[in-house]
Amino acid sequence: MTQSKTYVRCTINGEDTEFLCEPRQSLLECLRDVLRLTGTKEGCNDGNCGACTIMLDDRIVTSCLVLGVEVNGKTITTIEGMASPEGLHPVQQAFLEEAALQCGICTPGFLIASKALLDTNPNPTEEEIRFWLANNLCRCTGYDKIVRAVVKAGEKIREG
Amino acid sequence: MATVKKDYKVIGSRPVRHDGVDKVTGKAIYSADFSISDLLHGKVLRSPIAHGIIKKIDTSKAEKLPGVRAIVTSKDFIGSSDKNIETAEDRNEGETTRLKYLRDNVLASDKLLYIGQPVAAVAATSSHIAEEAISLIELEYETLEPVLNTTQGLSSKSIIHQELETKELGTKVPGKTNLAEHIQHKLGDPEEAFKHAEIIVERELTTETVHQGYIEPHAATASWSKDGRITVWCSTQGAFPARDTTADILGVPISQVKVVPLEIGGGFGGKIPVYLEPVAALLSRASGHPVKLVMSRKEVFECTGPTPGTLMRVKIGADKSGKFIAAQAHLEFEAGAFPGSPVAAGSYCVFAAYDIPNVLIDGYDVIVNKAKTAAYRAPGATMAAFATETVIDEVAEKLQMDPAEIRLINTAKKGTRRADGPVYPTIGCEEVIKTIKDSEHYNSPITEPHVGRGIAIGYWFNVGLESACTISLSKNGTINLVEGSTDIGGTRTSIAMQAAEVLGLLPEDVIPSVVDTDSIGFTSVTGGSRTTYATGWAAYEAAIDVKNQMISKVAGIWSIDADNVEFEDGVFFSKQDTELKMTFKELAAKSGAPIVGRGSVSKGGMGAGGGSFAGAICDVKIDPETGKTTVLRFTCVQDAGKAIYPSFVEGQMQGGSVQGIGWALNEEYFMTDDGRMTNSSLLDYRMPTSLDLPMIDTIIVEVPSDGHPYGVRGVGEANIVSPPAAVANAIYNATGVRQSSLPMNPASITKGIQDHRSDILNSMNC
Amino acid sequence: MLQVFIPSLMRKLTNDKHIVEINASSITELINKLDKEYPGMKQQLTEGNLIKDGLSVVINDEISNNPLLEHLEDGFEIHFVPTIGGGTF
């Protein structure tokens, strides 16, 4: 029998991680089905909903459009790696306080994307927030409270 | 019943929701996240044609593929399909459903009725192998002429269900047809009244098929144990209805099925039906393993939901003062491949916001070769309001009246007789219109060219139905609240708050759990804007029960009569002896028989608490060259009765508004002539993104509903009803061109503008 | 007296009468009396002593889940309306 799986070694949420995956498996599948990190969600599997957004090195990507075998040697951050032992990240806290989630399925993707924005620009305008988050679909909130939460998280981050 | 009081401690506050931390840290388990030992993965073979006859399903090649463990077809159901059954929702609605229709929608038996209809399913050791196996199943069929809209459905010789007869208020009209039902409501003498109208506006309008668009695709895992017990883990708007329907489809007693509801990633009505659950169960029985099925986005678009395309004619007659004296509506709704479009609901809602003495409403439920339609947030009402509210706008314009004023002088109020007969209890329609009329937004000037403003009013009747709750008191003075309503948008908290208020607790002192169908009394769907209303009511009653048991307990401790014990601000005290006092927490810590309260309600079907009215004010800017519409400002006004958790009420209003804006401007199924959806991805089915929208302003109106202990009105749905009409009226105001079809995309707007080019140039001073 | 509203599609049985006044304390009694006055009503409204499939009973302003169990009082309004349906499967 020929070897059907490929060995991949990467860093996920700060942990050195090894896994085997089929060449056809997306990173999203590897995270969810192989590594059981189900916080990253699948909404469309073609890069259009943003529910599977993660950080790959310093870029936000939709993990359904990345193959598992591509991440060898790379650094990945998923929603599971956002909170610290001390508590929630300010953007997570702001989403809770501003009621920026309803069903919550898009929330991990929005949190990853929002944190990436705030890491580079902790004082974004409404327009900048809307532009940055335009690849993440939310069907419940109409985005109003998400925008407010990102503004509030930015304020918290700037205050330190 | 307790009177509505103003000085609530918990009601009206904004605590952090109970399930919030799990949902912002990725720990919450949604349907596709679920896993279990020994699990197989399934895929579904779906019909490639919209209408045909199944000749043969040959699974032999697929069976031989390594890793395939089971293949099932409709032959695997237990017992005859030739009977009518009463689904959980039917029980509240007084109708039955043909079992064959339910079964054919999850696994086709004799005919292919829409592209995407399930035909067979495979369970294998991986989803990729299952997918390969699907491609090895040979499906032979004979193609029939498809019926793709109501006009075709009512005129075509192509009959979709040979045995179908038209239902007309309980009777059956004989003859082969695609018309499943004709509904009629008549009030007064509209024919005569129209003769006396100063002005009559009549328009024909159409809307296209749209999808609920929840971000989480359907997924279900089922395990059929050797003892016959079936456990289903899924995301559903109603664990109990899902259990009952799954059992009905499988042909087993409901006691044999347990549904464990997982977190649900949006539903909007589209996760009331079951699609995968019975199929996963059949695959589990055939393979001896638990089986998980997850839909792709394409499957979600092609095979679930949607809400139908419609053809509507609405006519309104008014006197000189703008008073509506007669109205008529003709509503044709696509049912999809089986009976049951939301036309009945549309017929109830079409003129529901107004006091009109003479009304005739005809609704037609037409079978077409598309996926069976499912509920979508105020099902039927949005299309109907698009028709009514744009016609009213035109009546107002012709009479040179203010659009809010004409609505106000015609508003429905307590005592108004509806076209379908009953009179309204206390409702907030007038207050919603007044709030719009007096709002800063409505009164702000429009100064830019190509900018217009529109308003519209919408109604959803809300339902009550059945809910159960239990509350167990813990020794540390907290309570565990067990409920059966799946939580799509924070209802754990809005329900918990209603119990907390009774017992003088903080929201965080209540630990709510949504449990499986073995663990709480029957609870109807999270839908119909009923959850905060009815399950909240059950929680209120369970809390009252706990309070009464605690009063009995403390009375026993003090050896006084329970009638002499009062409870206020978290303290039990004797009315006679001021020395006798005990806090809630002190009493909870005392030993004795565990205190378990229960609440169980059945709060009627349609019209629970009078329903909820909402309205929208919309400002748009039109690019006259490209036809692009930009929503500049949007305000949603809604009567919440009493807002238990104002942030969640606002969230419902904003979410419904934006779904309505998407419906107005972008969303539609592009269908080929042979019934195929050509835009079944989230790229091509264009739902609003953050960049497409302004902030959505909200104004909560509170006209408490009669009956409910806090005066709650469900707020989940009415907010989607008015936006398409408000956007249409705004586009008219900006361009001078009336829109009669949804969506109002750039192509239809530029066409309208070109057709009226000279008028536009003049009115816009270009 | 109860005020019984006759749906438009049944008014051929009542000579186009929209409202019929009847004294009854239950829906069953009401339907029996209605049928006596306007023969054929019982057949239109019931099947095997149950309210017919596809029909709902509104008592005053709400659809009743269990109309046959309701106690009717003087002055109540009764409506027979088509079931809402839609979205159940």
Side-chain angles (χ1 to χ4, degrees):
Chain A
M1 206 169 150
T2 54
Q3 186 183 321
S4 64
K5 291 192 176 174
T6 303
Y7 170 81
V8 178
R9 183 169 182 175
C10 60
T11 303
I12 300 181
N13 299 329
E15 300 277 340
D16 186 16
T17 305
E18 299 169 295
F19 63 89
L20 295 175
C21 71
E22 294 174 41
R24 65 181 167 187
Q25 284 184 300
S26 69
L27 175 58
L28 175 61
E29 258 189 282
C30 295
L31 290 171
R32 290 178 54 81
D33 299 343
V34 179
L35 297 163
R36 298 292 306 143
L37 289 169
T38 58
T40 304
K41 305 301 180 190
E42 177 181 326
C44 69
N45 212 26
D46 54 15
N48 287 305
C49 76
C52 66
T53 302
I54 57 147
M55 293 301 292
L56 182 60
D57 291 338
D58 295 327
R59 289 197 305 140
I60 47 172
V61 299
T62 44
S63 57
C64 69
L65 295 185
V66 177
L67 288 172
V69 294
E70 289 182 89
V71 302
N72 201 37
K74 296 197 186 292
T75 299
I76 290 165
T77 308
T78 69
I79 188 63
E80 286 90 347
M82 187 177 280
S84 66
E86 290 77 48
L88 298 177
H89 185 275
V91 73
Q92 291 172 309
Q93 190 61 37
F95 267 57
L96 291 181
E97 287 170 5
E98 292 297 304
L101 58 145
Q102 285 181 33
C103 81
I105 195 84
C106 70
T107 308
F110 268 98
L111 289 168
I112 294 281
S114 301
K115 178 176 176 295
L117 169 64
L118 296 172
D119 283 348
T120 55
N121 176 6
N123 193 13
T125 63
E126 182 196 334
E127 190 64 15
E128 285 168 335
I129 294 169
R130 288 186 179 279
F131 183 77
W132 188 273
L133 296 178
N135 191 48
N136 292 75
L137 290 174
C138 170
R139 193 61 159 171
C140 296
T141 65
Y143 306 101
D144 184 293
K145 292 188 187 302
I146 292 176
V147 172
R148 288 175 199 278
V150 176
V151 169
K152 184 172 181 180
E155 285 167 8
K156 283 275 157 59
I157 289 168
R158 295 200 304 279
E159 286 164 12
Chain B
M1 198 51 61
T3 51
V4 179
K5 54 173 206 170
K6 298 269 165 4
D7 54 338
Y8 295 121
K9 294 198 165 59
V10 175
I11 304 292
S13 66
R14 302 173 192 239
V16 165
R17 61 193 277 177
H18 296 83
D19 54 343
V21 170
D22 276 357
K23 285 181 177 165
V24 298
T25 54
K27 288 194 170 56
I29 299 297
Y30 292 78
S31 59
D33 305 337
F34 181 75
S35 191
I36 190 171
S37 168
D38 205 21
L39 183 67
L40 297 179
H41 300 269
K43 285 282 174 190
V44 176
L45 173 69
R46 296 177 180 276
S47 171
I49 58 163
H51 196 192
I53 296 167
I54 298 174
K55 293 291 182 193
K56 195 172 149 195
I57 306 170
D58 183 354
T59 59
S60 54
K61 278 186 198 153
E63 281 159 20
K64 290 187 191 112
L65 187 73
V68 169
R69 296 297 157 82
I71 301 180
V72 297
T73 65
S74 121
K75 292 197 175 67
D76 293 281
F77 289 125
I78 301 163
S80 166
S81 297
D82 188 21
K83 58 181 173 187
N84 279 23
I85 53 129
E86 200 178 40
T87 67
E89 295 310 299
D90 286 341
R91 275 197 287 286
N92 299 114
E93 293 174 349
E95 65 175 354
T96 60
T97 305
R98 250 193 119 212
L99 179 56
K100 183 173 184 303
Y101 293 164
L102 287 170
R103 285 183 168 177
D104 281 354
N105 200 39
V106 298
L107 280 173
S109 59
D110 49 356
K111 283 188 78 176
L112 300 171
L113 298 169
Y114 58 93
I115 289 179
Q117 184 184 12
V119 174
V122 176
T125 50
S126 85
S127 57
H128 295 289
I129 294 173
E131 206 163 322
E132 277 175 47
I134 286 296
S135 67
L136 295 173
I137 299 175
E138 288 167 9
L139 172 66
E140 285 176 31
Y141 51 82
E142 176 191 331
T143 305
L144 300 173
E145 184 196 330
V147 171
L148 296 173
N149 57 44
T150 62
T151 309
Q152 286 176 16
L154 294 173
S155 62
S156 176
K157 288 191 184 65
S158 191
I159 299 296
I160 296 172
H161 297 291
Q162 295 300 323
E163 74 293 341
L164 185 83
E165 291 179 326
T166 304
K167 262 200 318 191
E168 217 173 46
L169 208 59
T171 62
K172 296 274 172 92
V173 183
K176 288 196 185 305
T177 181
N178 293 318
L179 176 59
E181 188 169 11
H182 169 219
I183 285 155
Q184 189 177 74
H185 301 297
K186 192 174 176 187
L187 182 69
D189 188 346
E191 204 181 332
E192 181 61 27
F194 272 117
K195 290 180 193 160
H196 303 287
E198 171 75 14
I199 176 175
I200 295 174
V201 175
E202 182 174 16
R203 291 281 169 249
E204 182 172 292
L205 303 101
T206 60
T207 69
E208 294 299 325
T209 303
V210 298
H211 198 272
Q212 292 80 352
Y214 33 81
I215 304 299
E216 178 203 37
H218 298 255
T221 305
S223 177
W224 195 313
S225 161
K226 298 285 180 230
D227 61 6
R229 289 278 296 163
I230 303 159
T231 306
V232 178
W233 297 265
C234 61
S235 88
T236 171
Q237 287 180 243
F240 285 88
R243 174 197 68 180
D244 293 7
T245 312
T246 299
D248 289 337
I249 290 173
L250 292 172
V252 302
I254 56 170
S255 53
Q256 209 171 310
V257 179
K258 172 166 86 172
V259 169
V260 185
L262 301 165
E263 294 304 330
I264 169 170
F268 314 108
K271 285 188 184 150
I272 295 172
V274 305
Y275 300 100
L276 300 174
E277 291 81 351
V279 181
L282 287 184
L283 286 169
S284 176
R285 186 180 58 162
S287 67
H289 298 257
V291 176
K292 179 173 169 181
L293 289 169
V294 183
M295 280 193 201
S296 67
R297 176 57 54 182
K298 184 178 165 69
E299 289 178 298
V300 171
F301 272 124
E302 288 191 342
C303 324
T304 74
T307 206
T310 64
L311 184 148
M312 303 172 288
R313 281 191 292 277
V314 164
K315 178 174 162 186
I316 291 175
D319 67 15
K320 256 184 253 172
S321 69
K323 190 81 193 70
F324 304 152
I325 58 173
Q328 189 174 348
H330 169 104
L331 308 173
E332 294 175 15
F333 282 31
E334 295 169 9
F338 304 99
S341 77
V343 74
S347 301
Y348 280 113
C349 293
V350 62
F351 298 125
Y354 303 104
D355 182 0
I356 314 176
N358 303 289
V359 182
L360 177 63
I361 299 162
D362 285 290
Y364 301 89
D365 184 34
V366 186
I367 310 284
V368 296
N369 289 114
K370 293 182 180 174
K372 165 75 177 71
T373 58
Y376 178 24
R377 202 170 202 156
T382 304
M383 303 83 128
F386 171 59
T388 302
E389 293 291 315
T390 53
V391 168
I392 287 175
D393 207 58
E394 203 172 333
V395 172
E397 185 201 7
K398 295 216 156 111
L399 292 171
Q400 295 183 309
M401 285 181 73
D402 174 77
E405 180 61 23
I406 198 168
R407 287 170 169 86
L408 197 54
I409 65 168
N410 288 291
T411 183
K413 45 184 108 162
K414 183 176 182 172
T416 295
R417 188 165 299 285
R418 301 161 45 88
D420 46 285
V423 296
Y424 277 118
T426 306
I427 52 170
C429 187
E430 185 176 11
E431 289 77 0
V432 165
I433 300 171
K434 271 192 181 144
T435 302
I436 287 174
K437 193 162 180 268
D438 297 341
S439 68
E440 180 275 326
H441 183 177
Y442 191 66
N443 292 291
S444 64
I446 295 176
T447 49
E448 281 184 81
H450 314 311
V451 172
R453 177 171 297 154
I455 64 163
I457 302 298
Y459 174 63
W460 181 248
F461 44 71
N462 293 359
V463 299
L465 307 183
E466 295 148 21
S467 282
C469 265
T470 62
I471 294 176
S472 304
L473 177 66
S474 297
K475 294 278 188 224
N476 70 346
T478 59
I479 58 172
N480 296 319
L481 187 155
V482 172
E483 51 170 301
S485 285
T486 51
D487 180 354
I488 319 184
T491 52
R492 281 180 182 88
T493 303
S494 65
I495 291 163
M497 288 166 76
Q498 297 181 59
E501 187 71 46
V502 172
L503 297 173
L505 297 171
L506 297 168
E508 56 265 36
D509 292 332
V510 184
I511 299 144
S513 302
V514 177
V515 296
D516 65 63
T517 53
D518 285 357
S519 308
I520 186 70
F522 183 92
T523 298
S524 308
V525 291
T526 297
S529 297
R530 65 172 291 280
T531 308
T532 299
Y533 176 83
T535 308
W537 198 330
Y540 168 88
E541 292 202 343
I544 296 277
D545 192 11
V546 166
K547 185 178 90 173
N548 290 339
Q549 290 178 44
M550 291 179 83
I551 285 173
S552 296
K553 183 172 173 177
V554 77
I557 293 168
W558 291 336
S559 300
I560 64 170
D561 201 276
D563 290 345
N564 289 329
V565 178
E566 287 263 309
F567 176 66
E568 219 176 278
D569 293 332
V571 181
F572 295 89
F573 58 94
S574 161
K575 280 190 252 182
Q576 269 124 5
D577 183 348
T578 50
E579 296 292 300
L580 292 178
K581 269 188 199 170
M582 203 181 290
T583 66
F584 186 91
K585 283 196 192 302
E586 286 166 350
L587 181 55
K590 300 273 182 205
S591 58
I595 287 176
V596 181
R598 70 184 179 94
S600 168
V601 303
S602 174
K603 292 299 174 190
M606 181 200 89
S612 175
F613 286 88
I617 315 168
C618 177
D619 294 0
V620 298
K621 179 169 185 153
I622 308 292
D623 181 329
E625 296 310 316
T626 63
K628 184 184 185 328
T629 301
T630 304
V631 179
L632 297 177
R633 187 174 179 191
F634 196 97
T635 302
C636 176
V637 180
Q638 185 168 3
D639 177 15
K642 173 69 200 171
I644 299 294
Y645 190 137
S647 297
F648 288 170
V649 173
E650 293 158 8
Q652 290 296 320
M653 293 163 73
Q654 291 161 339
S657 296
V658 166
Q659 284 185 316
I661 291 169
W663 199 338
L665 294 175
N666 302 312
E667 294 179 33
E668 68 180 302
Y669 277 36
F670 289 98
M671 304 294 289
T672 60
D673 289 345
D674 56 359
R676 180 176 306 279
M677 181 187 187
T678 58
N679 61 328
S680 56
S681 79
L682 288 172
L683 180 65
D684 299 320
Y685 183 89
R686 183 68 164 75
M687 308 199 304
T689 72
S690 54
L691 198 55
D692 299 323
L693 297 160
M695 302 307 277
I696 306 294
D697 296 332
T698 56
I699 307 175
I700 300 172
V701 172
E702 292 186 321
V703 179
S705 69
D706 296 336
H708 189 279
Y710 301 115
V712 167
R713 294 179 193 276
V715 293
E717 293 170 289
N719 38 57
I720 197 176
V721 179
S722 56
V727 174
N729 292 337
I731 290 173
Y732 173 75
N733 190 233
T735 63
V737 181
R738 288 269 168 215
Q739 297 290 323
S740 59
S741 296
L742 295 183
M744 300 171 285
N745 54 29
S748 65
I749 289 173
T750 42
K751 184 176 182 304
I753 290 175
Q754 278 154 11
D755 290 351
H756 296 77
R757 192 87 207 182
S758 54
D759 294 351
I760 304 305
L761 289 173
N762 292 337
S763 70
M764 284 184 169
N765 302 318
C766 283
Chain C
M1 279 296 196
L2 302 169
Q3 298 238 312
V4 186
F5 286 68
I6 309 298
S8 52
L9 293 172
M10 288 184 186
R11 283 177 204 160
K12 51 187 180 287
L13 292 175
T14 60
N15 306 318
D16 209 34
K17 219 169 164 185
H18 295 204
I19 299 170
V20 173
E21 295 209 324
I22 278 179
N23 230 332
S25 59
S26 72
I27 293 290
T28 307
E29 186 187 352
L30 182 157
I31 291 173
N32 285 334
K33 286 185 170 169
L34 201 56
D35 193 59
K36 213 165 258 175
E37 211 165 323
Y38 305 103
M41 282 303 258
K42 191 172 180 173
Q43 204 194 335
Q44 273 266 348
L45 294 168
T46 62
E47 197 169 326
N49 287 327
L50 295 173
I51 299 295
K52 224 178 200 174
D53 199 19
L55 273 177
S56 296
V57 181
V58 176
I59 299 174
N60 295 325
D61 52 26
E62 267 187 30
I63 286 187
S64 171
N65 287 350
N66 295 295
L68 300 182
L69 303 180
E70 302 267 7
H71 178 76
L72 307 180
E73 285 170 33
D74 207 29
F76 275 19
E77 280 190 15
I78 310 298
H79 303 263
F80 297 98
V81 296
T83 50
I84 299 283
T88 57
F89 82 94

